[in-house]
Amino acid sequence: MLRNLVRLLVLPPPGLRCKSTAHLDYSRYPTLQESDIEETFTRGSGPGGQAVNKTSNCVFLRHLPTNITIKCHTHRLASKNRVEARKLLLEKLDAHLNGENSIAAQIKVQEQRKSTERRRRQNKLQELKKNWQERERTDGD
Amino acid sequence: MLRQLTRSLRLTSRAFTHFNYGTDSTAGQIPVTQALVGWAEKLKAAGIEDTKFNLKCIISHVLNKKFNTVPDSFEKLQFNSSQLADFERFLEARCARMPLQHIIGEWDFMDITLKTAPTVFIPRPETEEFVRLVIENYKNEKHVNLLEVGCGSGAMSLAMLHSLPQVVSTAIERSKAATVLAAENAKLLNLQDRFTVHNHTMEEDKYMPEELKDKKYDLIISNPPYVKTEEFQYLHPEVVVYENLNALDGGSDGLRVARLVFELACRHLHPGGKLWLELGNEHPPMVKTIMNLKYEGRLKFIASYNDQYKRERFVQIEKV
C-alpha cells in the first residue's frame, strides 16, 4: 500500500512544480524504496489495536543508505505524517544527492533569474523616465 | 478618603482575577504560553505521556484552528476569557483520563474527519491500514454492496464510501448512541445516500434485523470486539471507563463476536463474496483452524495480513 504512495511521490509534489513553463530537470530526482527506509512511530508497547488509545502522531524516518533522518509531527494523524515524512525525505535526499541540481536549487536559480530580470526592467524603466523628464525640462527652457 | 479606599479595593480585587496575568496581555486576553503554565506537569501526574500533543490538540480546538496551522511554540496566540475557561475545563477532563478525541469532539480517520461522542468507540490507527487494504482490493470493482458489522462511529464504511464512489454500505450496530452518531457522520460527510445503519444486536438465529433478513452482500467488513475478558484489567482508563465495553469484549478467547460474524457471513454473502476482519494479534491462525474444521464447503480462509506495526491482524475469508 505504502509502495503505491511512494510511487506517487516519485513525482515531486505540485507545490514544488513551477506555475510557469519553467523546465525543471527531474532526471536526477531520487526514488524512494520502502526497503531503504527504517520507520519508527510510537504506538505504545503491547498488542495495540482496540485495547489501546494512545495518540502519538510523531513519525521518524531513517534512510538507510545515506543515514538521513526525518522527524514529522505536522498533522494530527500519524498516517498523514507518514506521507508527509516521505515527501520531506525525498526533498532532503534530492538536496543531498544532487546538490545544485536538486529541484529546490533549480527553482531557486529560476526565481533569482526572474527577480534580477524584474530589477533590470525596473531600472530600465526608471532610466527612460529620468531621460524623458530631463528632456521635458530642457525643452521647457 | 472613602473614595480612596474603594478605589484601592477595586484595584486589588481586579488583581486577583485571572485577567491580570502579565503586563503584555491586552484587555481580557491572555497569551496561550502563559495559560498553559503548569499543565504539562499536571497531565504527566495524571498518567498522560504525550503531553505536548494533547496540549496542541486542545489549544487548536479551543482557538478553532487546524492542528497543522498552530505553531509548536504557541507564539502570538491568545485566549479570551471564555476560551481560557474552555481550555482549563478540557484539561481537567483530560487529567480525568477522558479520551482526547471525546474532548475535542472530532477525530480524523484516513481522509475524513468524524464526529466523536461519549461512550462510542474511537477509531484506531491500525483500522486505517485495514481499510486501506480493503480499498486496494476493491477499487477496480464496478459496484460493491457492502455490509459492515459493528460500525461504531461509521469510520470504516464512511472512509470506504468517501474513497470509492461505487460502494454502497449497510451497517448494523448494537449501541444506540453509536447508531445515531454513524448516521450523523454520514450526513456531515454527505454520504447519507449510500449509507444506512440499523440498530441491532447479533445473536444466534437472529444475526440480522428483520428488514435485512433476506439480503445478500458482495463484501462484509468488521472490526468486531476482540479483547479477551481477562485483559480488561490491563486497559487504560480512557478505554475501559469512557468507551463502551461492548465494543471491546470478545469473550474468553476474544472470538465470541467473530464467531457470530462467521455465521452471518454464511447466510448473507454471495458465493465468491468476501469477509474481511480486523482482529487481535493471535487470532488469524485460530481463524484459519476454525475455517478448516467447522466451515469446510461454506467459508474458506484466503489470507492474513499485517498492520503497519507488523502485527498479523487482518484476515480475508471467502464464501464458497
Side-chain angles (χ1 to χ4, degrees), chain A residues 1 4 41-44 46-57 73-77 79-80 82, chain B residues 50 53 67-68 72 99 101 106 108 110 124-126 128-129 136 223-226 235-236 248 308-309 311:
Chain A
M1 283 153 275
N4 289 334
F41 41 136
T42 47
R43 178 77 174 117
Q50 287 174 354
V52 178
N53 181 19
K54 289 210 184 132
T55 48
S56 177
N57 67 333
H73 57 262
T74 324
H75 300 285
R76 200 158 58 179
L77 219 53
S79 55
K80 294 206 173 83
R82 295 181 75 196
Chain B
D50 40 357
F53 179 71
F67 179 88
N68 59 354
D72 287 346
Q101 300 94 328
E106 64 173 34
D108 312 305
M110 298 182 80
R124 307 297 202 240
E126 290 91 338
E128 289 180 293
E129 205 58 28
E136 191 60 31
N223 178 13
Y226 62 70
L235 301 177
H236 283 180
L248 299 159
Q308 68 268 44
Y309 302 95
R311 296 194 181 108

Side-chain angles (χ1 to χ4, degrees), chain B residues 17 43 52 64 75 141 149 195 198 216-217 245 248 250-251 256 270 286 290 294 296 310 312:
Chain B
T17 64
L43 285 172
K52 284 208 182 95
N64 207 11
E75 53 189 8
E141 296 293 311
V149 178
F195 178 77
H198 300 252
K216 288 208 196 301
Y217 301 89
L245 286 183
L248 299 159
R256 185 189 72 83
H270 287 308
M286 292 166 68
I290 295 171
K294 226 188 134 192
E296 198 175 331
K310 309 286 185 282
E312 189 192 13

Side-chain angles (χ1 to χ4, degrees), chain A residues 76-138:
Chain A
R76 200 158 58 179
L77 219 53
S79 55
K80 294 206 173 83
N81 287 330
R82 295 181 75 196
V83 178
E84 182 84 26
R86 281 162 173 76
K87 275 192 209 150
L88 292 170
L89 182 59
L90 264 175
E91 284 172 22
K92 232 178 170 181
L93 254 180
D94 189 25
H96 179 261
L97 295 172
N98 299 323
E100 58 184 24
N101 290 317
S102 70
I103 297 299
Q106 288 180 44
I107 290 174
K108 196 168 178 201
V109 163
Q110 280 178 0
E111 290 298 308
Q112 274 179 338
R113 215 177 289 147
K114 263 194 250 163
S115 70
T116 39
E117 178 61 27
R118 217 178 293 131
R119 228 177 298 130
R120 188 195 68 85
R121 260 185 264 130
Q122 276 173 348
N123 288 342
K124 191 93 200 285
L125 197 63
Q126 291 290 59
E127 273 241 26
L128 288 171
K129 268 199 207 156
K130 221 176 50 179
N131 290 341
W132 182 87
Q133 278 167 356
E134 281 282 332
R135 252 181 288 127
E136 289 296 294
R137 215 177 301 127
T138 51

